[in-house]
Amino acid sequence: MRVVRYAEADLPAGPARQVAELEAAAWPGAEPGHDPALAPRALLLLTADDTVAASLALLFKEIRLAGRTYRAAGLSSVVTRPELRGRGLGGRLVAAARAELAADPAVDLALFSCDRPLAPFYEAAGFPVLPGTVLVGGTPGEPLATDAPDFDKVAVAAFFTDEPARDRAAFTGVRVPLYPGNTDRLW
């Protein structure tokens, strides 16, 4: 198996169809694709015959917090083909995403939310939970927060800055607005 990368807009038709089918099965009714303003990139784990075994999207934006501007990335739409689950493929792809982000000098941190029961999966790939941190997306007029009722999410992050402990502390236990204006959507 091998990991391949594409700008989401440049994803070839065959893999794009497979990703859309996997996402539709995992999240029925969700709209495919991501906001182009977030510069989405697709990471795919392909089998020897080019079947998409697992996929995820990397999304990018700046976040202003504690008087600083951070160049952030987030993981979205992480999914593994149902018949291949339980073999570590999703974890392998998430770990590859973390390694790619850590090596990118244009990224200060990876920050995203996940369902609380999935936290150990992401922690094993190098994305520890940020205790008490709430991510707020949507728009200022219609915010969507990870601590909303019946929305059992946690924030996870990896810091690639010169002072990761300091920056982790700045993000721990705070509400982090993911929208700089009123047009961005939650990752």
Side-chain angles (χ1 to χ4, degrees):
M1 292 209 192
R2 70 191 196 295
V3 175
V4 297
R5 297 148 187 81
Y6 295 94
E8 190 173 76
D10 297 333
L11 192 56
R17 180 184 37 75
Q18 291 181 58
V19 169
E21 290 168 356
L22 287 172
E23 290 179 4
W27 304 287
E31 292 184 32
H34 297 87
D35 183 346
L38 299 175
R41 290 196 315 226
L43 257 64
L44 311 176
L45 183 62
L46 300 179
T47 64
D49 68 355
D50 288 336
T51 298
V52 176
S55 71
L56 61 79
L58 296 175
L59 308 175
F60 301 86
K61 72 182 312 171
E62 289 185 346
I63 296 175
R64 288 171 187 76
L65 184 71
R68 292 199 49 207
T69 299
Y70 293 87
R71 299 162 302 173
L75 275 62
S76 181
S77 304
V78 179
V79 65
T80 299
R81 188 169 293 283
E83 65 272 20
L84 298 177
R85 290 182 184 152
R87 300 180 188 184
L89 302 179
R92 177 176 168 187
L93 186 61
V94 169
R98 188 192 185 289
E100 183 168 318
L101 295 172
D104 187 340
V107 175
D108 296 319
L109 74 137
L111 174 70
F112 57 99
S113 65
C114 69
D115 294 335
R116 189 173 303 278
L118 292 175
F121 169 79
Y122 288 105
E123 287 180 308
F127 296 101
V129 170
L130 285 170
T133 299
V134 176
L135 304 183
V136 184
T139 65
E142 294 183 37
L144 177 59
T146 56
D147 66 346
D150 299 323
F151 200 58
D152 193 22
K153 303 279 187 181
V154 294
V156 297
F159 292 85
F160 313 120
T161 59
D162 292 335
E163 296 185 55
R166 175 204 64 194
D167 294 320
R168 181 172 184 69
F171 277 82
T172 299
V174 299
R175 294 180 78 79
V176 180
L178 297 179
Y179 50 82
N182 61 4
T183 59
D184 288 352
R185 297 182 305 176
L186 179 69
W187 319 347

